[in-house]
Structure formats: structure tokens, C-alpha cells
């Protein structure tokens, strides 16, 4: 496979409803897509960086900059022809994992389409369908939250994740348990909003039989999570902290995490994501697939990943309608609380050209030297 370059494209996608977390409120997603163009089929990648560096240090404008200035030129110089070679060529550059992941995903898609193999099979898929969880934002009131959860349960979601922050934690969890009972799978995500000084407050969540508490403490505070894990009985699950298979192994060994949220963008790509799955599985640590409000492209790849055998908990893998009135691919539609793993070549889906053009705000073709 010989690559000619990458088409970078920013799309603006309005959310069906505002999504509030401990770090901010999203109403529209500004997403950077990359298309690998060469002598074979095009390949699509999606960069999960947000507009602002609030979830992680990465952000969309920086992703465009680092791709144009450093990453794509390095791929040109290396003369890469496979996704594995992308990771190796980009290794010297520190960080910028979401940008690296997007480029690797595009090349991987192109490569697999050429060879007529599906991403799911390539990664080691062990299921035809995956169960869907949904991430529910912070709401203005408990009744509004209960309405939202009621709606998602009605649609068939099999697991609910509540976003929490200081001042919105025990009360919403208690209200959801009281209204919907002990039968529903329930977990919470703090996006780093607490410190160890909040241990007593977080321990109050132990009364509600939660699957896990996701990323209560800052990204760098691995030891803090290990200490917290000793003092609360709810399993601790790291998200932001886990940036590679190496960090995953360290966090497991230190007792900082007993469940892992795997997001390919956060860790530099689907190949590194699979390594984390393998490391966790070898340690008997369950994993689940996180979400970054992806379009149908990233969603397709996440569904494929979530079908690996170590993904034993439902992920933030939801239907297109969770976030979009109109997705840029054929919409992902849930049946029975599940999504079907795509089996076509590569991602198994591609953007619908008309919809893509309508939401595009900027494009640039960056040749490979
Ligand atoms: O794509 O379903 C989704 C979003 C899931 O809550 C979600 N993601 O920390 O896990 C997380 C957040 C990160 C994005 S918040 C804007
Ligand atoms: Mg999270």
C-alpha cells in the first residue's frame, strides 16, 4: 500500500442535548477526521480530542498543528505502508496520543479495506454483538436526571453511568437507585473532580452497589487512587490516568485500578488499546470500552474493540442517537440493548458524502512529502 497523504477535515456536529461533566458542558462537537489517501481504498480515522484541553491536554487545533507540522511529515519520511509502521514512526514524538491514534486508525482502515479484512477480526473479536451502556451528564435537578435515565432505560440501555462532581454525587445515585431499583447496572464517573480529602464522601457511595467509580482523582495521582481503593469498597476504575499498556500494568500492580476504561484515542490507537486489553486480561482485570462522543466512524471501531473477550462490562458504546440527530455514517441503531459488530472490510462503514459535506467546516490535504 502506497500512501499519497492525509485529508484533514473538521466537522461541526450539534449534540441532541447539552452534555455536562465535572469539567464543562458540551453542546456541539468539533471533530477532526483524517482520511488516508493512496493507491488503494481510502481509510478513515477520527481524532477524539475536544475543542478545549479540559478532559486531557489535547485539543482539536493542536491536533491539526501537530499532525501538519510533525506527525504527517514523519510518516512521509518513514515511507510507511502499514498501521504498525505508523506507531513506530511516531514513537519519537512525546504525547499527542489522540492525534497519533487518528492517523493510525486511518491507515489501519485503508490497509484492512485493501486486504478485505474487518477491524473486528483483526483485533480478535469474540462476539457478534456488544451490550450498550450510556453516559448520563450532570443535570440541573434530580427529577430532570430521573427523566433522562428513565428514557435511556426505555430505549434498552443495559448500564447507566452517572457523571458526578462534588455536590452532585450521593444524592443523584441514591435517587436513581430508589427509583429504578437494585437491578440496574450503575456506575459513576468523576473526571478527576475529587481529592483524597473527599474519601469519606466517596465512601458513602459504597452503600449503592455500584459497578465502579471512574477516575475520581487527578490523572497523575496513581498512588492516590491506590490509597483510595484501600478505603472504599466500590472498585476504582481509571480512565484519564491510563495512557499506555505500561501505565496500565503499573496501575494494576500498585492496586490503583481494578477495572479499566479503554479509550483508543487516549492511549495512541487501537493497537495499543488491544495491548491494554491483553495486559488487563492477564491480570484478571475486567475492561470496558470508553466513549468520546464519536461519530459513526469512531463508534464502528469502538464496537469492534468492545467485542474482544476481555471486555466483560458494557461500555460507553451507545447508539448514534445518544448524541446525534444525524450521524455522518449510516446510524448505529441499538436492538435489545445491543449493537452489531461491523464485519465489512476495515471499519465496515464510511461517511455519507452529502452529510459529511454539510457538517464540514474546514479541510486541508497534507501530502506525504
Ligand atoms: O461517547 O458515550 C460517550 C461519552 C462517554 O462519558 C463519556 N466520556 O470521561 O468517560 C469520560 C467521558 C469523556 C468525554 S466527556 C465530554
Ligand atoms: Mg471517564
Amino acid at each position: 500500500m502506497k500512501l499519497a497523504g492525509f485529508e484533514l477535515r473538521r466537522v461541526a456536529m450539534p449534540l441532541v442535548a447539552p452534555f455536562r461533566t465535572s469539567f464543562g458542558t458540551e453542546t456541539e462537537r468539533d471533530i477532526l477526521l483524517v482520511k488516508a489517501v493512496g493507491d488503494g481504498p481510502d481509510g478513515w480515522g477520527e481524532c477524539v480530542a475536544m475543542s478545549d484541553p479540559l478532559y486531557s491536554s489535547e485539543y482539536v487545533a493542536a491536533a491539526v498543528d501537530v499532525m501538519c507540522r510533525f506527525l504527517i511529515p514523519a510518516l512521509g519520511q518513514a515511507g510507511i505502508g502499514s498501521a504498525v509502521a505508523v506507531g513506530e514512526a511516531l514513537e519519537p514524538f512525546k504525547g499527542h496520543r489522540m492525534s497519533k491514534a487518528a492517523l493510525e486508525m486511518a491507515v489501519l482502515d485503508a490497509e484492512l479495506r485493501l486486504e478485505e479484512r474487518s477491524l473486528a477480526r483483526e483485533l480478535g473479536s469474540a462476539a457478534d454483538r456488544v451490550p450498550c451502556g450510556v453516559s448520563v451528564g450532570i443535570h440541573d435537578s434530580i427529577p430532570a436526571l430521573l427523566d433522562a435515565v428513565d428514557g435511556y432505560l426505555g430505549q434498552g440501555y443495559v448500564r447507566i453511568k452517572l457523571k458526578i462532581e462534588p455536590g452532585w454525587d450521593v444524592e443523584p445515585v441514591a435517587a436513581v437507585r430508589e427509583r429504578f431499583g437494585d437491578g440496574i447496572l450503575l456506575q459513576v464517573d468523576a473526571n478527576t473532580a475529587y481529592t483524597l480529602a473527599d474519601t469519606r464522601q466517596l465512601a458513602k457511595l459504597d452503600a449503592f452497589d455500584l459497578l465502579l467509580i471512574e477516575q475520581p482523582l487527578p490523572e497523575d495521582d496513581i498512588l492516590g487512587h491506590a490509597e483510595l481503593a484501600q478505603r472504599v469498597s466500590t472498585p476504582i476504575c481509571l480512565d484519564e490516568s491510563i495512557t499506555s499498556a505500561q501505565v496500565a500494568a503499573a496501575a494494576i500492580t500498585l492496586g490503583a485500578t481494578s477495572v479499566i476504561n479503554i479509550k483508543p484515542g487516549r492511549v495512541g490507537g487501537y493497537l495499543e488499546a488491544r495491548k491494554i486489553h491483553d495486559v488487563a486480561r492477564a491480570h484478571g482485570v475486567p475492561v470496558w470500552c470508553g466513549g468520546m462522543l464519536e461519530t459513526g466512524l469512531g463508534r464502528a471501531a469502538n464496537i469492534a474493540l468492545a467485542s474482544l473477550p476481555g471486555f466483560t462490562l458494557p461500555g460507553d458504546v451507545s447508539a448514534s442517537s445518544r448524541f446525534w440527530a444525524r450521524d455522518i455514517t449510516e446510524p448505529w441503531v441499538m436492538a435489545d440493548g445491543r449493537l452489531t459488530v461491523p464485519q465489512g472490510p476495515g471499519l465496515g462503514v464510511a461517511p455519507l458524502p452529502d452529510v459529511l459535506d454539510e457538517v464540514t467546516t474546514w479541510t486541508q490535504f497534507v501530502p506525504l512529502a
Side-chain angles (χ1 to χ4, degrees), residues 9-301:
R9 181 187 288 262
R10 281 169 87 156
V11 299
M13 309 253 302
L15 268 56
V16 290
F19 183 52
R20 182 174 154 203
T21 67
S22 63
F23 61 80
T25 304
E26 311 287 323
T27 55
E28 185 183 79
R29 196 75 170 80
D30 171 14
I31 302 179
L32 173 62
L33 302 177
V34 302
K35 182 169 74 173
V37 180
D39 59 359
D42 292 342
W44 287 94
E46 176 165 346
C47 180
V48 301
M50 305 267 159
S51 313
D52 304 321
L54 298 175
Y55 165 81
S56 78
S57 63
E58 293 182 65
Y59 60 99
V60 181
V64 171
D65 187 79
V66 77
M67 283 185 194
C68 292
R69 201 186 292 269
F70 299 106
L71 305 184
I72 297 176
L75 296 181
Q77 209 146 46
I80 54 108
S82 72
V84 171
V86 170
E88 287 165 6
L90 300 184
E91 222 268 323
F93 302 101
K94 311 294 186 202
H96 297 285
R97 293 182 177 87
M98 294 174 178
S99 298
K100 294 175 177 176
L103 293 169
E104 183 194 85
M105 177 179 165
V107 175
L108 186 55
D109 183 34
E111 191 183 343
L112 294 171
R113 282 182 203 264
L114 184 66
E115 296 168 0
E116 298 191 331
R117 288 187 293 141
S118 71
L119 177 64
R121 206 181 126 192
E122 170 70 12
L123 292 175
S125 173
D128 295 334
R129 301 195 308 158
V130 300
C132 302
V134 62
S135 177
V136 186
I138 294 167
H139 279 66
D140 290 337
S141 69
I142 298 288
L145 172 73
L146 294 177
D147 276 354
V149 171
D150 191 38
Y152 291 127
L153 290 173
Q155 290 170 42
Y157 284 101
V158 303
R159 183 276 272 152
I160 300 291
K161 159 166 138 180
L162 302 181
K163 290 292 192 178
I164 60 167
E165 65 182 2
W168 181 266
D169 44 36
V170 175
E171 207 193 337
V173 168
V176 167
R177 271 286 181 240
E178 192 186 340
R179 166 84 180 272
F180 302 103
D182 294 336
I184 64 163
L185 299 179
L186 186 63
Q187 63 191 54
V188 295
D189 184 3
N191 289 108
T192 77
Y194 294 84
T195 70
L196 267 187
D198 300 308
T199 300
R200 281 179 58 186
Q201 181 67 11
L202 292 169
K204 291 182 192 163
L205 294 171
D206 287 344
F208 301 100
D209 191 27
L210 300 179
L211 287 169
L212 55 92
I213 304 176
E214 184 179 343
Q215 197 70 42
L217 310 180
E219 184 177 322
D220 291 338
D221 198 3
I222 303 280
L223 289 179
H225 283 101
E227 195 162 330
L228 182 65
Q230 299 280 326
R231 301 197 203 158
V232 302
S233 61
T234 309
I236 303 294
C237 169
L238 292 180
D239 171 358
E240 283 90 331
S241 296
I242 305 296
T243 50
S244 66
Q246 191 172 19
V247 173
I252 292 169
T253 304
L254 289 166
T257 196
S258 52
V259 184
I260 294 179
N261 167 332
I262 299 185
K263 288 179 184 165
R266 195 193 64 225
V267 306
Y270 284 85
L271 303 180
E272 186 73 11
R274 177 173 57 185
K275 280 189 203 160
I276 298 179
H277 161 271
D278 295 348
V279 164
R281 200 152 179 244
H283 284 87
V285 166
V287 302
W288 54 280
C289 184
M292 291 292 288
L293 300 87
E294 286 92 347
T295 72
L297 296 171
R299 217 159 277 277

